Amino acid sequence: MDALDLARWQFGVTTVYHFLFVPLTIGLGIFVAGLQTAWHRTGKEHYLRLTKFFGKLFVINFAMGVVTGIVQEFQFGMNWSEYSTFVGDVFGAPLAMEALLAFFLESTFIGLWIFGWDRLPKRLHLASIWAAALASNLSAYFILAANAWMKHPVGYEVIDGKARMNDLWAVLTNSTALAQVPHVVSAAFVVAGGFVLAVCGYWMLRSKAEMWRSAARAALVMTAIAGAVVAGTGDWSAKLMYEQQPMKLAAAEALEHDTAGAGFTVVPGIEIPKLLSFLSTYDTEAVVPGTEDLQRRFEQEFGPGDYRPDQTVVFWSFRLMIGFGMATAGLSVLGLWLTRRRRRMPDWLSRAFLLALPLPLLAVTAGWLLSEIGRQPWTVAGELLTAASVSPGVSLTEVAISLTVFTLVYGALTVVEIILLARHVRKGPEETEHAPAAEQLQPSLMY
């Protein structure tokens, strides 16, 4: 083991941990904004209570996401200086736009929303949560555009050993980004929907209040629709993968040799004939490249080396992503059917929602592993190898120390996050005697 191995572990651990908070923030912000809009339009008290209840959970998660995200920026300079030097001119532009535009708007309007309950006009206060929620989605766009460039670099040229951007619009409208953004954002809504359903399931086992059924129904609709978008954009991404990242596609299917009419392996031993070729091209007889044949071609193009990712991780992360995602979406469709025509939600379904809380988080984590490990051994496809990206002056001991520190700190933050969320979930929504206008809310209702 050398510094490169530990640097990869560190980036993987911190990024996966950070990514647990990001999708919940993206989806839950929109959900809270929808609840407040319902209160604004109807004046019903339970919408106000739900807005403030889920709003607290949203703020806790947002704060934890900010804290863990800061480490991501540090790592580029700490462990990956060669990467930063090569991609800085290109990668820095969308990251700067995310920080100076999207995150600035998001944090500003979240502050206005938190402290503006008894200070802002009702409509302006409502607008602030929508602005914050939309800004979080805009932030995701810039980050994913930068990430997509690493998989499919466009709008640049290499000068003096460094990538120089010559077309910002090409970077922001990269075909990989246009498919990746709706796929990841819709997955974020599935995560948020699963979280809301788990909370509602917990309370519906203890209370028959209509507001929990109302919130659960809204979350069911959001999760079911988002699940359909995830599936559609996933199909789009698979076709782009066939064109732009054939090695990742081959590894995800454990396909060793170029195959015409390739089948899709559900699990080892169970294969659907010709489905992989169809999913890749809409042609059941299309040739899908295999890892061994691609390896020989890449050696001729890029020189000696192993250009195959870890096939076991990529293969199983692909199936876990699909399996956990389909289970979550399927449970939401079942919930919609069982609660139609104002039917009460069965207790067993409430328990199922509570137990299913980890499923969407596991799905997005598996998807991230597929996306990033499947790109290996490249940090920038076809341009920069991961082995050439690490900081030359960082020793094994230094990376080991920082990895240990980050792991311990993140472990402590995990405990804090769980305690805070669990405490507020158990406490439940605040009681209100009526649903006053935003201008009339008392300081006792402030966060």
Side-chain angles (χ1 to χ4, degrees), residues 1 4-14 75 80 403:
M1 182 173 291
L4 172 62
D5 297 320
L6 283 187
R8 293 180 64 185
W9 269 102
Q10 184 177 107
F11 197 87
V13 168
T14 55
Q75 285 192 85
W80 305 101
L403 173 59

Side-chain angles (χ1 to χ4, degrees), residues 53-54 193-208 211-213 215-217 219-220 331 344-357 425:
F53 174 69
F54 283 108
F195 176 80
V196 173
L197 288 172
V199 173
C200 290
Y202 171 84
W203 273 101
M204 283 187 292
L205 292 172
R206 290 157 177 76
S207 170
K208 304 304 179 185
M211 71 173 180
W212 295 116
R213 183 187 179 280
R217 284 283 298 181
L220 287 169
L331 189 61
R344 191 178 76 82
M345 189 167 293
D347 286 348
W348 66 265
L349 186 58
S350 297
R351 293 189 181 91
F353 288 147
L354 188 56
L355 294 174
L357 174 61
V425 169

Side-chain angles (χ1 to χ4, degrees), residues 91-387:
F91 203 73
L95 287 186
M97 297 172 75
E98 186 274 337
L100 298 177
L101 177 61
F103 181 72
F104 178 80
L105 290 174
E106 182 182 12
S107 56
T108 298
F109 282 105
I110 284 179
L112 289 172
W113 184 73
I114 293 173
F115 298 107
W117 278 99
D118 62 339
R119 293 176 174 87
L120 296 177
K122 187 176 180 180
R123 291 184 179 180
L124 186 57
H125 187 257
L126 174 62
S128 66
I129 185 59
W130 273 110
L134 295 175
S136 68
N137 284 264
L138 182 62
S139 179
Y141 180 87
F142 289 126
I143 294 295
L144 292 171
N147 179 265
W149 184 85
M150 296 164 63
K151 300 175 182 132
H152 181 228
V154 295
Y156 76 106
E157 57 184 340
V158 178
I159 302 175
D160 297 329
K162 299 179 182 179
R164 303 292 187 185
M165 183 168 58
N166 55 27
D167 190 344
L168 175 61
W169 183 246
V171 173
L172 295 180
T173 59
N174 188 344
S175 58
T176 305
L178 295 180
Q180 187 169 281
V181 169
H183 187 66
V184 174
V185 170
S186 56
F189 284 102
V190 174
V191 170
F195 176 80
V196 173
L197 288 172
V199 173
C200 290
Y202 171 84
W203 273 101
M204 283 187 292
L205 292 172
R206 290 157 177 76
S207 170
K208 304 304 179 185
E210 175 61 23
M211 71 173 180
W212 295 116
R213 183 187 179 280
S214 176
R217 284 283 298 181
L220 287 169
V221 171
M222 181 175 73
T223 306
I225 294 175
V229 176
V230 169
T233 54
D235 177 70
W236 182 10
S237 297
K239 289 174 173 57
L240 287 175
M241 193 188 307
Y242 172 80
E243 299 172 2
Q244 301 168 0
Q245 301 178 81
M247 184 65 84
K248 180 191 292 186
L249 179 63
E253 287 303 317
L255 189 68
E256 294 185 350
H257 300 287
D258 297 355
T259 305
F264 179 87
T265 303
V266 180
V267 292
I270 302 178
E271 180 180 291
I272 303 175
K274 302 183 183 297
L275 182 58
L276 179 59
S277 291
F278 178 78
L279 292 175
S280 301
T281 64
Y282 289 133
D283 180 0
T284 57
E285 298 300 328
V287 176
V288 179
T291 56
E292 299 306 314
D293 295 322
L294 284 168
Q295 169 67 19
R296 285 191 290 271
R297 290 196 284 272
F298 285 179
E299 284 181 341
Q300 295 175 358
E301 182 177 358
F302 302 111
D306 189 351
Y307 298 96
R308 294 163 296 189
D310 188 316
Q311 183 167 292
T312 301
V313 174
V314 174
F315 179 85
W316 284 108
S317 61
F318 184 41
R319 276 139 192 84
L320 292 175
M321 175 189 69
I322 295 175
F324 290 138
M326 289 182 63
T328 303
L331 189 61
S332 67
V333 172
L334 176 63
L336 283 173
W337 173 255
L338 294 177
T339 58
R340 70 193 187 281
R341 298 175 183 173
R342 303 190 66 81
R343 296 180 182 179
R344 191 178 76 82
M345 189 167 293
D347 286 348
W348 66 265
L349 186 58
S350 297
R351 293 189 181 91
F353 288 147
L354 188 56
L355 294 174
L357 174 61
L359 295 184
L361 289 171
L362 292 172
V364 296
T365 300
W368 183 87
L369 293 175
L370 168 67
S371 176
E372 300 308 304
I373 294 180
R375 189 182 66 246
Q376 297 303 314
W378 303 99
T379 47
V380 181
E383 291 288 356
L384 185 66
L385 292 167
T386 303

